[in-house]
Amino acid sequence: MALLWIYVFLFGLVIGSFLNVLVYRLPREMPIAHGFSQCTGCGHRLYPKDLVPLFSYLFLRGRCRYCGAHISFQYPAVELANALLWLLCAGVFGFTPRALAAALLCSCLLTVLLIDWFHQIIPDVMCLAILVCGLGLWAAGGGPDLTARLIGFVVISVPLLLLALLSGGRAMGGGDIKLMAALGFCLGWQCTILTTMLGALLGTLAVVVLRPTRFALGREVSFGSFLALGGMIALFCGDGIIGWYLSLVIGA
Ligand SMILES: [Zn+2]
C-alpha cells in the first residue's frame, strides 16, 4: 500500500515537470512535443539525467550543470505542488478512476493558474483539456449528475459572456468564460458558483494583502488564476463548504 502512495507521488512529479513545459511553451506558442529541452540560460541540450523532476534540482543545487545559471525555483515547486495534489486526490477519492480524473483536472488547473498569472491568458487547449477531465469525472461516477454538470456548464459562463458583451470585452476575458464553462461541467452548478465566489474573494484578498508589498498586483489581476485555485478548493471540499454555509443561513 505504501508503495502505491510512492508511485502516485513520483508520477505526480513527472506530470509536474510536463506542466513546466506547458507553462513555458504554451503562451509562447511553441510546439509542445518538439525539440529537446534546453537550458533557458545557455541553450545547452538537457539530457534525461538533468530532467529528473525535483531530484536533479536538489542534486545540482538549483544550477544548470553546463553554464551554472540559476534555475528558477518555480520548476521544482510546480513539480512538488503537482505531486502533492495527486496525493491529495488519492487521499480524498481513493485509488479510483475518479481520483485519476480529479488529479488530471488539478494538473490542468495548476497549469491555468500559472499561465494566467504570468501571461494573463488562458489557452483554449487548456479549457478543452479541463472539459475532457470533466467527461472523465462524469464517466467515473460519484460526483454531480449530468443535469447538474450541464447547468454548471452555463451557470457562470453565460452571465460572464453577457457581462463581456455589455462591457465590450473590458470586464471579462474570453478565457475566463471558457474556463468557467469547462470547470462547470467538472464540478456541477453548486460548486461552480462556489468556485466563482472563492475566486473573487481570493483575488480581492490578494490585491489588498499584496498592495503594500513588492508583489503588488499593479497590472490587471489574473482572475483566471484565482478561479483555478477556487476550482481546486471546490473540488476537494466544495460540498463541505456549501453544507456549512447552508447550515449557517438556514440554520438546518
Ligand atoms: Zn545552462
Side-chain angles (χ1 to χ4, degrees), residues 27-211:
R28 293 174 176 82
E29 297 188 351
M30 293 163 70
I32 299 305
H34 184 266
F36 301 112
S37 297
Q38 296 176 326
C39 166
T40 52
C42 64
H44 195 289
R45 179 180 164 184
L46 299 178
Y47 296 94
K49 65 174 177 180
D50 305 316
L51 294 168
V52 181
L54 198 58
F55 300 105
S56 291
Y57 185 88
L58 295 176
F59 182 69
L60 297 168
R61 294 195 191 83
R63 288 177 178 278
C64 169
R65 190 195 297 275
Y66 306 100
C67 69
H70 267 292
I71 299 167
S72 169
F73 181 68
Q74 185 191 325
Y75 293 99
V78 169
E79 288 160 0
L80 188 60
N82 191 67
L84 294 176
L85 283 168
W86 278 54
L87 285 178
L88 190 58
C89 285
V92 171
F93 302 112
F95 293 97
T96 59
R98 188 180 178 197
L100 179 63
L104 290 170
L105 173 60
C106 286
S107 296
C108 289
L109 289 174
L110 183 57
T111 307
V112 165
L113 189 160
L114 291 163
I115 293 179
D116 197 43
W117 184 265
F118 291 118
H119 302 277
Q120 289 78 51
I121 54 162
I122 302 174
D124 283 347
V125 65
M126 291 316 301
C127 296
L128 197 63
I130 289 172
L131 190 59
V132 171
C133 292
L135 290 170
L137 283 167
W138 172 51
D145 62 15
L146 185 59
T147 312
R149 293 182 190 278
L150 290 174
I151 297 172
F153 189 83
V154 296
V155 69
I156 296 297
S157 61
V158 169
L160 289 185
L161 181 63
L162 293 176
L163 194 65
L165 291 175
L166 288 173
S167 69
R170 271 174 292 116
M172 194 50 63
D176 296 321
I177 300 168
K178 292 174 209 164
L179 173 66
M180 288 315 294
L183 199 47
F185 191 85
C186 294
L187 299 175
W189 67 270
Q190 292 99 329
C191 281
T192 304
I193 294 173
L194 176 68
T195 296
T196 312
M197 291 166 71
L198 286 172
L201 189 69
L202 294 170
T204 309
L205 264 178
V207 169
V208 172
V209 171
L210 295 180
R211 185 174 288 153

